[in-house]
Amino acid sequence: MNIESESPRGAKRKLNDVDLPEEAPGRIRALDQDVVNKIAAGEIIVAPKHALKELIENAIDAGSTSLEILVRDGGLKLLQITDNGHGINRDDLPILCERFTTSKLKAFEDLESIGTYGFRGEALASISHIARLTIATKVKESSCAWRAHYCDGDLAPTKPGQSAEPKACAGRQGTQITVEDLFYNIPTRQRAFRSASEEYAKILDVVGRYSIHCRDVAFSCKKHGDASLGISVASSASTVDRIRQIHGSAVANELIDFEASDTCWGFKSEGWISNANYHVKRTILLLFINHRAVESTAIKKALEQTYSTFLPKGGHPFVYLSLEIDPKRVDVNVHPTKREVNFLNEDEIIDGICEEIRARLGRVDTSRTFMTQTLLPGVNVSTISPNNIDSPSGASASQKTPLPGISTKTPNASMRKADSYTRPYEANMVRTDDRARKITTMFAPQQPDSPSRLESRSRQPDNDRTEPTSTSATSKTAAVAGAVDAIDTMDYEYTSRVPSPCRLGSVKELRADVRSTMHNPLTEVFSTHTFVGIVDHARRLAAIQSATKLFLVDYGLVSFEYFYQLGLTDFGNFGAIKLDPPLQLRDLLRVGADIEAERAADNGEGDDLDWEEVVQAVEEQLLNSRAMLREYFSFDLAEDGMLHTLPLLMKGYMPSIAKLPTFLVRLGPHVVWTDEKACFRTFLRELARWYVPEALPSPPPRQEPEKHIAGQVAEADKASDMTGAEGRDIVARRSELSKSVERVLFPAFKARLVATKSLLKGGAATEVANLKGLYRVFERC
């Protein structure tokens, strides 16, 4: 018996084994015209940036001196460009979007001397096949503008049933082209784009290139709905100013110009290149050949090879190069998007350009100027010890290794090496150790508690979770006759009151607002910083170090933001500054009104203002709100107008009592009492304003004391100079403020501050030195 065995499972079958109906071989036939147009459009308009590039070139060809660009969703939803060029005649609008219709080319031989950007007449036709196109234009001779809509290369009506003919409208001279729903009929192409922000960045790159190259042409580009402009370049701006606005001052300050030409090879070039002091991770090449933005791998590689002898390893230059070649030697019709061109004698022209750039860099690099700073008189040179990096307690004096160029008393100290220590690269070495004890901590012992009130709960002597809720402040000179002096002594009392959680929606929204504006890098700087010292008391500037960077900090602005956040965090659980004896609110308000009146008079304001009425209005408002103030802010105001307590935000820090009258007066006009959320926000900001450290005069510059004939220093003259230049009271207040800033405020910033974007915009922290950047400069010396 014969049994036919089936082929094993998974075995491949040949085509002959499969019974398929036979089909006739495919016949060659012409594609539908709509398919042809869409294929051509897909080759020319690959992305929104290519559509914009074509429109910018058309506008410049039309003699425009101002271009305004509006973008929505990366150009996919809306791409609009408005120029002030010659405009388009009404009679040319019917054939405007047909393929191969142009005013720049008549015969094929004209390509040999083409001097315009466009020449094929395919840009608008391609856009009309893949987007909804609207054009509004006006020529100088016309009394009105004309608006037309296009679809698939032909005029189209605005709405079904209407005429497709162009319609008269109001408008200025020039042309406005609006492209909407780009690639709406090619869903696969539309889905290929990653994000709108990425496409918008590519559009800004295209606009930035042409705004640098096109002199006497103003450019502006922005997102739809945004008030700020992504790019804004004036028509009168120079090339360097244009580079500065697009790429920043870092590169604009390091540019050198160059020119190269050769009649033998028929080219002339000019541009701006970065010198040896500037380099980036990737080469930035802005290349224009016969005023057309193109790309050239050969030119880019040649430039990188030229700069390799001038820049450190991994560094790349910035180059703006405008190359003009005899049009007869250039073939511009080699790429659908005109991104590449071919020209004769490419190697010789590139060699000539690179040789000129090499010569310019060599002449500039013969000498360099560096900003240096000598050590101040009386400053000791610190030393670095390998042992005190791993050991919290540091190392002894005999173990320290001096800095390069600094000699020590121990002859062999510089020759010692640690056996088990690998020295890090100097550019990455942090020069401070926040674990090391400073000599200033040995003076005037402070409270062992943390500056944060919440952190101090677990550090009470009886190990009870209590919080400081009141303080008895006795002032030796406290009086309310014309001014209020500072409280000299503070005794803290603790109660067993349990902190109550805040369930108010308005306060939660204010906290969320702070978190939403958090700036992570700046927060990291404050959370890892090391305090260096106060630079200027009058401007409230201090220096801090974070990692290998040195920052100049406006501790007035930072304190204002910190105390506002602290008020939100501890809302309803403030401590209390107990005034003994209580102060009369009306007297305080009068003192504050006098201060504000004097300030207004200096500014030429408030002449017709009755300050006595202001005092009465503020007093009445505070008395009416005293229940709320007592419950939420520990602001205890009796019915008879006696002020018993004030809010205490931080233990170990006392706000300036001299600012108290001004604080109370400002509670009237600067606090919104009619809305809950606005009331809490404005009251906490005024409270934070009061808690900001006061600005004191900086100490006068120290003068060298005169020496006697015997060579001894006149100590009496030295002491009289210290007390004669400024009052003893200012010296004492400045000393106490310096201790509070270093030992209380900045440790609190390090523990709890959420640095917001407003601090960054307000210039609260400015980077003044970067160790890696300094090493990058000096390693080429």
Side-chain angles (χ1 to χ4, degrees), residues 85-88 136-140 142-146 171-175:
H86 304 315
I88 305 170
T137 182
K138 180 181 181 298
V139 295
K140 184 178 181 180
S142 177
S143 59
C144 64
W146 296 92
R172 62 185 183 182
Q173 180 178 341
T175 304

Side-chain angles (χ1 to χ4, degrees), residues 457-490:
R457 296 175 187 167
S458 59
R459 301 184 182 181
Q460 306 305 327
D462 55 355
N463 295 327
D464 221 357
R465 291 188 63 84
T466 60
E467 63 173 354
T469 58
S470 65
T471 176
S472 175
T474 305
S475 175
K476 298 178 181 179
T477 60
V480 189
V484 181
D485 295 329
I487 296 177
D488 297 329
T489 60
M490 293 183 293

Side-chain angles (χ1 to χ4, degrees), residues 53-64 67 102 104-105 111 113-121 123 209-215 217 219 287-294 320 322 332-333 335-339 341:
K53 176 179 178 292
E54 298 287 348
L55 298 178
I56 290 177
E57 292 177 349
N58 286 343
I60 297 175
D61 283 340
S64 304
L67 275 71
T102 179
K104 306 163 187 174
L105 190 68
L111 281 174
S113 59
I114 192 71
T116 58
Y117 290 106
F119 54 86
R120 289 194 298 237
R209 288 173 181 267
Y210 280 94
S211 62
I212 291 174
H213 179 73
C214 299
R215 302 169 186 172
V217 180
F219 285 81
L287 176 61
F288 288 81
I289 298 180
N290 289 354
H291 306 288
R292 190 184 308 277
V294 296
Y320 160 60
S322 177
V332 297
N333 193 26
H335 195 276
T337 62
K338 300 189 281 281
R339 188 179 63 182
V341 297

Side-chain angles (χ1 to χ4, degrees), residues 653-673:
Y653 175 78
M654 188 68 184
S656 175
I657 301 300
K659 296 165 59 179
L660 177 60
T662 305
F663 162 66
L664 295 174
V665 169
R666 288 177 60 89
L667 291 181
H670 293 278
V671 176
V672 181
W673 297 96

Side-chain angles (χ1 to χ4, degrees), residues 450-452 455 526-527 529 562 745-753:
S450 170
S452 170
E455 294 179 0
F526 280 103
S527 64
H529 82 272
Y562 172 76
L745 292 183
F746 273 89
F749 300 161
K750 188 172 185 177
R752 298 186 60 176
L753 177 66

